[in-house]
Amino acid sequence: MTGPDLATRYLGLDLPHPVMASASPLTASVDGILRLADAGAAAVVMASIYEEQIVAAELAEMAILESGGGAHPEASGGFFAATVANRSVLDERLETLRRGAERAGIPVIASLNGVSPDGWTDFARRLEQAGAAAIELNIFRIPADLSEDGGEVDRECVDALRAVKGAVRIPVSVKLSPYHSSTGHFALQLTRAGADGLALFNRFYEPGIDLATLEPKLDFDLSTPADTRLGLAWISLLRGQVGGASLAATSGVWDGEDVVRYLLAGADVVMSASALLRHGPAHVGTLVRGLRAW
C-alpha cells in the first residue's frame, strides 16, 4: 500500500509535498540551502535581499573611494540604477542564489525587499537571471508620514508589484504584512494586479530599547504555534476569493499538526523558519512525517 499523495502546486511549481523553508539565516548560504534540500524541503525561499542594505554598503564604499564625492541616499531612481550595476555585496548574494539553484535540486525562490522603483525592477531582473524559480516580494514599510493614508500605502505596494511583474517572466508572489487598513481588500488588489501568490504573514525585526546602553536593541523572538491563528483566519477568508493565486502560510509552524491546520484552512504550501532555526534543517523531515501520519 502506498502512502498518501502529498503533492501540491505553488506559483506554478509542482512540489512533492507542501512543506517549505521560508527566508531565514538558514537560507542565506549555499550550504544552508543544500542542507534544507537534503532534509527534504519541497522548496526554499532564500534569505531576503534588502535594497537599502545593499545601497548603504555601496554608498559607504563610494564615500571611501571618492572621499566624499557627493553621493547621497536621497538620490533619484537613476542613481539607484547606476549603483546597482557593479555592487559587490549584491554580486555575492546573486552568486549564492545561482549556486544554490544549480545544486539544490529543488526550487529556490528569491525574496526581495526594495525601496525605489528602479531598485525593485533591477534587482528582480538580476534575481531571475541568477536562476530564481520565482520571486517573493517582501513588501513592508512603516508609513512615518502621518499625512499618508492607507490607500496611498496600498497603491505604492501594488505599483511595486506591477513594476516587477513587467520586468520578469518568472512567477511573483507577495509576502503580506497584517497591518494594512483592510487586509482582505489589499490582497484582492494584489492578485488583480497580477500577483501569482500571497504569503501570510511577515514577521519583521522589532527593536526594543537596551536600558543599559539606552540604544535600540535588536530583539527577535521565535514564533510560537499561537502565531498560526491570524494566518489561519485570513487564509480561510481568502481561499476561493483570489482567483488562481497560490496561498502560502508562514509563522508558528512547529509540528505536523500546525502544517495540517494551515492546509485545512486553504493553504497550498506551509513555510517554516523558527522551528528550523531551533531544531535544525532535519526538522523538515519531522514536519513532513507528521503531515503524512495525520
Side-chain angles (χ1 to χ4, degrees):
M1 178 180 290
T2 60
D5 181 7
L6 302 182
T8 188
R9 190 170 175 83
Y10 178 61
L11 303 180
L13 304 169
D14 291 317
L15 304 178
H17 59 76
V19 179
M20 295 175 51
S22 56
S24 79
L26 285 175
T27 64
S29 67
V30 175
D31 178 67
I33 292 171
L34 296 181
R35 289 173 64 199
L36 288 162
D38 290 343
V44 167
V45 181
M46 186 176 156
S48 294
I49 290 178
Y50 290 88
E51 180 188 352
E52 285 181 303
Q53 183 182 51
I54 291 175
V55 169
E58 180 68 12
L59 287 172
E61 183 177 339
M62 289 178 63
I64 294 172
L65 294 175
E66 300 178 5
S67 299
H72 296 283
E74 296 82 7
S76 67
F79 171 80
F80 282 105
T83 59
V84 168
N86 293 296
R87 199 185 313 281
S88 60
V89 176
L90 178 60
D91 289 342
E92 292 176 2
R93 302 302 301 280
L94 293 174
E95 182 61 19
T96 297
L97 172 59
R98 185 175 296 107
R99 292 171 57 203
E102 289 174 351
R103 298 172 56 188
I106 60 173
V108 178
I109 297 170
S111 175
L112 172 61
N113 187 304
V115 177
S116 69
D118 285 339
W120 280 112
T121 55
D122 190 86
F123 278 55
R125 290 190 191 99
R126 290 170 179 270
L127 292 168
E128 180 180 38
Q129 293 166 3
I135 296 176
E136 180 181 275
L137 302 185
N138 205 351
I139 296 180
F140 179 82
R141 68 179 182 83
I142 297 175
D145 180 356
L146 302 188
S147 67
E148 187 177 31
D149 63 27
E152 290 179 83
V153 174
D154 290 356
R155 282 190 291 275
E156 183 178 304
C157 297
V158 173
D159 288 345
L161 167 66
R162 285 199 177 103
V164 172
K165 284 288 294 182
V168 301
R169 296 183 179 181
I170 56 177
V172 179
S173 68
V174 179
K175 193 167 188 179
L176 299 182
S177 156
Y179 302 123
H180 290 266
S181 55
S182 177
T183 301
H185 181 69
F186 179 52
L188 290 179
Q189 285 184 283
L190 291 168
T191 55
R192 289 168 182 169
D196 298 290
L198 303 172
L200 291 77
F201 285 106
N202 265 326
R203 294 183 72 246
F204 277 86
Y205 292 108
E206 297 173 325
I209 298 176
D210 189 321
L211 297 183
T213 64
L214 305 185
E215 297 290 337
K217 182 179 181 180
L218 294 179
D219 286 327
F220 184 72
D221 296 325
L222 297 178
S223 71
T224 71
D227 292 319
T228 62
R229 294 170 186 168
L230 186 62
L232 287 170
W234 277 107
I235 286 173
S236 63
L237 287 168
L238 292 175
R239 182 79 274 170
Q241 303 295 321
V242 291
S246 299
L247 293 177
T250 70
S251 258
V253 181
W254 283 79
D255 59 30
E257 292 187 356
D258 296 323
V259 175
V260 171
R261 291 186 184 94
Y262 271 135
L263 295 176
L264 290 176
D268 296 295
V269 295
V270 178
M271 301 182 183
S272 180
S274 291
L276 302 183
L277 288 169
R278 172 65 59 82
H279 299 298
H283 192 64
V284 169
T286 301
L287 298 178
V288 176
R289 287 191 296 274
L291 169 62
R292 190 177 298 279
W294 188 89

